[in-house]
Amino acid sequence: MVATSIVIKAIPLRASSPDIHPNAKWSQNGITVAGGNGYGCEIDQLHDPCGLYVNDDQTIYVADSGNHRIVEWKSGATNGKVVAGENGHGNEAHQLSYPVDVIVDKERDSFIISDHRNQRVVRWPRQNGASRETIISNISCWGLTMDENGSLYVVEWKKHEVRRYKIGGTEETVVAGGNGYGNHLDQLSNPHYVFVDRDHSLYVSDFGNHRVMKWEQGAKHGIVVASNQGQGNNLTQLNRPQGVVVDQLGTVYVADYWNHRIIRWLKGATQESVIIGGNGQGARSNQLSCPIGLSFDRYAGFNKYTSTQSTTYVANGKRFLITYGDGSSASGFFSIDTVTINGIAVQNQTFAECTSLRGMNGDVNDGILGLAYPNLAKGAEKPLFYNMWSQGLIPEAIFTFYLNPDTNAESGGELIFGSADSSKYTGSITYIPVAIEGYWEFLMTSVSIGSTILSSSVYAIADTGTTFIIGPTIQVTALNAALGGAYDSTSGL
């Protein structure tokens, strides 16, 4: 038996860039989530799909270019739903002509669509009956993106530039390229797609130059961040790059169109790595055929359980619903499988598979691990830690947490099952009896600051699931006064 530990990473706040683990790997066999029923115009088909947008609930919106429409595909759906362009090909306000990109403006509850052949960018409300409007006219538009301030970025591919339009305005600012066709660092060649990161730097798929360019905010010249060796298929080259996404570490992900692959280019690297495809053009599950659009869902680079890929899965079938103290909630059903943590395999562990989340859209994690007593477990299921001990997988019936006070450190902390890390403390550990076996509740002799006793003989709960210190109003008020704290009306804390 050995103790096992988990390093807890400090995850940066979510912004424009997805948070992807630097060692993330993706399945080499894809699953069709939209279309896949041949070339056509039926509701279960697509015709030359281009840009795509993935919502927080994993709903996919596809610019179905050849069908002149935007199609919504819910997670797990076998048919799509036309949400824009349902009136056929044309240039009227209720029509589209070869749309090549779509994004969702959540603030105004609308789609913004690059209506390519009509040379316009249109706003298409998501609610039926609302009026549609052309927000930019006479533009050879291609890719679109929007920053957190609401500024819209549009690729003008014929003029080899990217333009920015501030919210509520029509005045344009050229923010990348704009110096004619060419391969110099201040030029682009028929750019297609654009991505904006948290620092408002732009990443442009420079289609005609077979490279990805980064333009920092206010810069007059770009920087080549992926492929500077011209057109080709080796690991230093791209061949007609299309969709581009950049994560929180500056890693560039590109849909490498004519190489039929998705590549990852680490910041500062001299060559790329192929993460999906690269097995020739084709329709097999490990192949791609001229990929264009590229997007990550909110689970990008994190681990998602798929029962069909497990040989030890056992169906349970019972449903669950749990609500947390902050008002967030999760629901789904129970399953049984082997759960492995850092090499420790716990057999026949019952756990909850979430199918719906509320109030957790900004969270970046694989899941939630409950470590309280069994009588708090939903469905009265035996918690993971109890099974670790009963199956003889850990040397002691203890677990310990270390929370790193350095918020800028890569390691946010450590969880150890079956032992304690003696390098993280001095002296000996003092054990206190649990008062009630539910939460980790115990009796504190007193709460004091210096020589001032604020409370005595008070029960407390040790909870690693929150950063709050919560207590009776009188004692918390006294604690804040002693520490010089003040009430923040904005946060309510």
Side-chain angles (χ1 to χ4, degrees), residues 415-459:
L415 165 61
I416 300 179
F417 291 105
S419 183
D421 184 352
S422 60
S423 69
K424 298 294 192 301
Y425 64 92
T426 59
S428 58
I429 296 177
T430 300
Y431 289 91
I432 301 174
V434 174
I436 300 174
E437 293 189 355
Y439 299 103
W440 291 97
E441 186 173 348
F442 57 95
L443 178 65
M444 293 196 300
T445 305
S446 64
V447 178
S448 61
I449 295 179
S451 59
T452 303
I453 297 177
L454 303 177
S455 181
S456 59
S457 297
V458 60
Y459 285 96

Side-chain angles (χ1 to χ4, degrees), residues 98 159 282 296 376 403:
Y98 295 95
K159 293 189 176 179
F296 289 91
L376 285 185
L403 303 178

